[in-house]
Amino acid sequence: KKYNWLYMTRYQEVMEFVQVSAPFCFYILKCKADEYVQGEVLGGIYSRAFPTLAENYHSSYGNNMVVSGFTYIFLQEIAHYLGLLDLRGDRKMMSEELEYRTTDLFRELFRWKV
């Protein structure tokens, strides 16, 4: 709870909400990432679930910031780092071209009764 997910990023404080909404972020993975899926798709789901986050950025790129923030902060720096996601693609590629899927560890750790 004390670790700040934004500490090593350049994202604004509004993206702290990704950390607060972690259970929902993991639920997105459970529902949509059994097979490889683009990070941009997962970020789009997150952005649509919390549309007011984009309002805290300039209107022309607010949604893009939320999607890229979710992709970088949650998918790459947390879930992939912890071994909960497999990554397909070259990290030098644009982040929206990377694809993710849940690992056996993810499925073992998370039991959903929703």
Side-chain angles (χ1 to χ4, degrees):
K1 185 173 179 172
K2 293 182 180 184
Y3 179 74
N4 179 0
W5 291 8
L6 293 181
Y7 180 71
M8 298 299 288
T9 73
R10 295 180 181 169
Y11 287 93
Q12 296 176 3
E13 291 180 11
V14 68
M15 289 307 296
E16 287 176 333
F17 189 72
V18 173
Q19 186 168 354
V20 175
S21 63
F24 181 73
C25 297
F26 288 118
Y27 188 67
I28 290 172
L29 299 182
K30 184 253 186 227
C31 293
K32 299 295 182 181
D34 281 342
E35 299 297 327
Y36 280 109
V37 61
Q38 288 183 327
E40 186 177 73
V41 171
L42 298 171
I45 294 167
Y46 184 82
S47 179
R48 285 189 301 279
F50 302 107
T52 56
L53 288 177
E55 294 172 4
N56 292 306
Y57 290 100
H58 189 274
S59 61
S60 65
Y61 60 87
N63 189 57
N64 290 338
M65 288 299 293
V66 173
V67 170
S68 71
F70 174 85
T71 301
Y72 180 73
I73 296 166
F74 179 70
L75 296 180
Q76 290 184 26
E77 297 299 313
I78 300 300
H80 179 255
Y81 176 77
L82 295 174
L84 303 175
L85 287 177
D86 287 327
L87 174 67
R88 182 166 69 182
D90 187 348
R91 282 188 152 241
K92 294 177 185 174
M93 297 167 60
M94 298 295 289
S95 62
E96 61 268 6
E97 295 174 359
L98 298 175
E99 296 179 317
Y100 302 87
R101 74 171 176 197
T102 56
T103 61
D104 291 338
L105 177 62
F106 176 89
R107 289 183 288 281
E108 187 176 318
L109 289 176
F110 291 93
R111 305 282 182 204
W112 301 92
K113 296 183 181 188
V114 178

